[in-house]
Amino acid sequence: MRYAGEKKFNFWTVLTLILLALFLLFVIYPIGMLLAKSLFAGGQVDLSYFVKFFTKKYYWGTLVNSFKVTITSTLVAVLIGLPMAYLLRNVKIPGSGLLNILIVISYLSPPFIGAYAWIQLLGRNGFITRILNAVFHMNFSGIYGFAGIVLVFSLQSFPLIYMYVSGAMKNLDNSLNEAAESLGCNAFQRVTKVIFPLIMPSLLAGMLLVFMRVFSDFGTPMIIGEGYKTFPVMLYTQFMGEVGTNDGFAATLCIIVIIIALMFFFLQKILGKRFTYSMTALKPMEAQTATGWRKFLSYAVVYLVTFIAALPQLTVIVTSFIGTINGSLFTGEFTLDNYRNIFAKGNTSAIFNTYLFGLIAIAIVLVCGILISYLSVRKRSPLTSVLDVLTMFPYIIPGSVLGISFLYAFNGPPFLLGGTVLIIVISLSIRRMPYTIRSSTAIIGQISPSIEEASISLGASQIKTFLRITIPMMLPGVLSGAIMSWITLISELSSSVILYTSKTMTLTVAIYSEVIRSNFGNAAAYSTILTLTSILSLLIFFRVSGSRDLSI
């Protein structure tokens, strides 16, 4: 949107160039370094690393394992999330508001915390394992490997399907459902022939996010997978073991991950456009009171699934107050020793760093997100279009790949940022910025340009109008999105575990390190602090947004 007398090269153009330069430096340059290390050796094109990967089953077998885990977990998440969204939207369930919060919290906590909690419940010496073996005289040795990974990922990911589908169903016009009923369709036919096709775009979007989250996570397979190695685990171990001698192969693995991620991203875009429907809910669907066996079944499914999803968080909180022997064996006695350990001198840096880095990163995300969304909507040009595309790359690239690319790009001249606070903050900001940009773009699209035009016609400059009119109108929605970005930001592990040093350790890295060292008491205490922070942030989100509905 260009006003009369506005020059082509102005403040907004300069701002676009600055933001474009930042994304070129912190997104394209690191990816370019990965590509160069994987394709070139001695100044010539060398595909030996790719040949090494595809000719040795040890390497490509982990990719097959990842696809098995990812596809299975995504399908199970859909099988759980879809009915949950339907039941909570269409059936009056007592305490549905609390259930919604519990479901969201189970999604917001890092997956590897769920893996740790399920080990406490269903591991070799887990609480449920001991009960099963004692009561049924079984010899159950714990849920590890493929089954354990799928269990954790499915329960961690179905809330995302639930939120997307629930949001889509909120916008459905119930008159279509009533028309189908009047034409003789039963409840099953109405769901499969009317509701399901209309929510398909949202379901595909949710499935893509689940797929990318599961495919790129290495913490869960590392903790509960044991001998079942997935691609991210192999990538992490190869990088950590070979960074000084054969970093070209680690870069090649990163490029393979990026290619796979891009393929599924564009596939989702194509399918989304193919199945897209536009609808205004003149008569929204309303929850009905169920009776008889439908009431019993609906209540049983919703309460049972919610309880199982929230069980890892409850386990972590309870075990944080139970004493341990040498950190690994729980005594069964309630104590505050675990908290005394983590709050001892020198052990609080991870907590302090998490809040400090998170606040700095979210401030950067807020400022850049507002500016980029404004430029993309109000100042459309070839430059802003390129900027808009570049902002999507961190959304696609897995965190571990971003962390490795940052080390390759900024661990030596001319940009020596490795081991600093700055590289952690930048990685956190880059990782979470696409979410805020997309939400801000949607918000500014709802603000009529005539309001800004009226301000300019009364003598205010464009910059003053932007600061005094546009930003205040955007702020409530942007702040709500920023709080949600904050919750996911403080739970980030994939990039932080690669970039951290002893001075820049965060809560997620501290939890992961304690679990790997079998210091379960300390891990539970750290996890409880992170969980309570997420809950408090979620309550603030509800307060700011004025809503109890977290559907997407």
Side-chain angles (χ1 to χ4, degrees), residues 373-387:
S373 62
Y374 181 82
L375 292 170
S376 300
V377 177
R378 294 287 194 258
K379 304 294 178 182
R380 292 178 181 173
S381 69
L383 282 177
T384 57
S385 297
V386 172
L387 179 62

Side-chain angles (χ1 to χ4, degrees), residues 278-315:
S278 179
M279 177 176 293
T280 301
L282 300 176
K283 186 179 181 182
M285 298 178 69
E286 295 182 359
Q288 304 294 324
T289 302
T291 58
W293 66 268
R294 288 187 177 88
K295 177 180 179 180
F296 173 78
L297 186 62
S298 299
Y299 285 21
V301 169
V302 170
Y303 288 131
L304 180 62
V305 170
T306 305
F307 173 73
I308 294 174
L311 193 56
Q313 282 70 40
L314 296 174
T315 301

Side-chain angles (χ1 to χ4, degrees), residues 118-133 142 144:
W118 280 108
I119 287 176
Q120 299 302 316
L121 293 169
L122 285 170
R124 290 186 180 88
N125 195 39
F127 177 72
I128 298 177
T129 301
R130 293 198 304 269
I131 294 176
L132 290 175
N133 290 338
Y144 297 95

Side-chain angles (χ1 to χ4, degrees), residues 6-160:
E6 183 179 353
K7 297 179 181 179
K8 288 186 177 181
F9 192 83
N10 52 24
F11 168 79
W12 301 110
T13 307
V14 173
L15 183 61
T16 303
L17 290 172
I18 292 173
L19 291 170
L20 194 58
L22 289 174
F23 270 86
L24 288 172
L25 176 61
F26 293 115
V27 178
I28 301 303
Y29 174 63
I31 295 175
M33 291 291 291
L34 285 177
L35 196 61
K37 284 183 177 293
S38 64
L39 290 178
F40 297 96
Q44 295 180 335
V45 175
D46 184 3
L47 299 178
S48 60
Y49 295 130
F50 288 93
V51 174
K52 177 182 177 181
F53 176 81
F54 288 107
T55 55
K56 292 188 177 182
K57 186 177 181 180
Y58 171 77
Y59 296 122
W60 61 259
T62 60
L63 187 58
V64 174
N65 288 346
S66 283
F67 275 115
K68 288 180 180 178
V69 166
T70 303
I71 293 172
T72 306
S73 300
T74 303
L75 291 177
V76 174
V78 171
L79 291 176
I80 300 174
L82 205 56
M84 287 290 287
Y86 179 80
L87 290 173
L88 282 169
R89 277 288 175 200
N90 289 274
V91 180
K92 289 184 178 179
I93 306 288
S96 58
L98 177 61
L99 296 176
N100 185 54
I101 293 175
L102 291 174
I103 291 171
V104 173
I105 289 172
S106 67
Y107 163 71
L108 293 175
S109 63
F112 72 92
I113 292 181
Y116 151 72
W118 280 108
I119 287 176
Q120 299 302 316
L121 293 169
L122 285 170
R124 290 186 180 88
N125 195 39
F127 177 72
I128 298 177
T129 301
R130 293 198 304 269
I131 294 176
L132 290 175
N133 290 338
V135 174
F136 298 101
H137 305 288
M138 298 170 57
N139 191 25
F140 182 57
S141 58
I143 184 164
Y144 297 95
F146 178 81
I149 298 171
V150 170
L151 171 71
V152 174
F153 278 140
S154 301
L155 292 176
Q156 281 275 327
S157 302
F158 91 82
L160 195 58

Side-chain angles (χ1 to χ4, degrees), residues 159-434:
L160 195 58
I161 301 293
Y162 163 79
M163 288 188 284
Y164 267 86
V165 173
S166 183
M169 293 185 69
K170 182 174 63 175
N171 297 321
L172 291 182
D173 194 331
N174 198 42
S175 59
L176 294 176
N177 207 23
E178 293 172 349
E181 185 178 8
S182 67
L183 292 172
C185 292
N186 57 36
F188 180 76
Q189 290 174 323
R190 292 197 300 272
V191 171
T192 55
K193 300 292 186 181
V194 179
I195 296 176
F196 189 75
L198 292 174
I199 65 172
M200 181 61 74
S202 296
L203 179 61
L204 289 173
M207 289 177 68
L208 172 72
L209 290 181
V210 170
F211 187 96
M212 294 310 304
R213 188 187 197 209
V214 173
F215 185 81
S216 61
D217 186 272
F218 82 93
T220 298
M222 183 78 84
I223 292 172
I224 204 170
E226 289 199 340
Y228 197 88
K229 273 197 172 184
T230 60
F231 190 80
V233 172
M234 194 263 293
L235 170 61
Y236 176 76
T237 54
Q238 287 290 319
F239 174 76
M240 298 304 288
E242 299 183 13
V243 67
T245 57
N246 191 12
D247 53 353
F249 185 60
T252 301
L253 300 180
C254 292
I255 294 298
I256 292 172
V257 172
I258 293 174
I259 292 172
I260 293 171
L262 285 171
M263 287 171 56
F264 279 95
F265 174 75
F266 287 117
L267 176 63
Q268 187 271 335
K269 286 291 184 183
I270 293 170
L271 293 175
K273 288 181 180 179
R274 181 181 177 88
F275 294 104
T276 296
Y277 297 90
S278 179
M279 177 176 293
T280 301
L282 300 176
K283 186 179 181 182
M285 298 178 69
E286 295 182 359
Q288 304 294 324
T289 302
T291 58
W293 66 268
R294 288 187 177 88
K295 177 180 179 180
F296 173 78
L297 186 62
S298 299
Y299 285 21
V301 169
V302 170
Y303 288 131
L304 180 62
V305 170
T306 305
F307 173 73
I308 294 174
L311 193 56
Q313 282 70 40
L314 296 174
T315 301
V316 163
I317 293 173
V318 171
T319 54
S320 71
F321 293 100
I322 299 177
T324 60
I325 299 174
N326 297 324
S328 57
L329 295 175
F330 289 99
T331 62
E333 297 179 359
F334 285 92
T335 177
L336 295 176
D337 286 346
N338 297 323
Y339 290 95
R340 293 190 186 99
N341 291 336
I342 67 171
F343 283 108
K345 186 177 181 180
N347 288 348
T348 57
S349 59
I351 302 172
F352 176 78
N353 288 343
T354 298
Y355 296 134
L356 177 62
F357 300 166
L359 289 172
I360 297 173
I362 205 66
I364 295 172
V365 167
L366 262 176
V367 173
C368 292
I370 291 174
L371 292 175
I372 293 171
S373 62
Y374 181 82
L375 292 170
S376 300
V377 177
R378 294 287 194 258
K379 304 294 178 182
R380 292 178 181 173
S381 69
L383 282 177
T384 57
S385 297
V386 172
L387 179 62
D388 190 47
V389 171
L390 288 181
T391 60
M392 286 302 296
F393 272 82
Y395 170 81
I396 301 168
I397 300 172
S400 55
V401 173
L402 185 69
I404 292 172
S405 68
F406 268 36
L407 280 187
Y408 286 154
F410 305 119
N411 213 29
F415 308 106
L416 187 57
L417 301 178
T420 64
V421 171
L422 187 58
I423 197 170
I424 296 287
V425 171
I426 292 173
S427 70
L428 292 174
S429 304
I430 290 291
R431 281 277 287 155
R432 299 305 168 192
M433 198 174 295

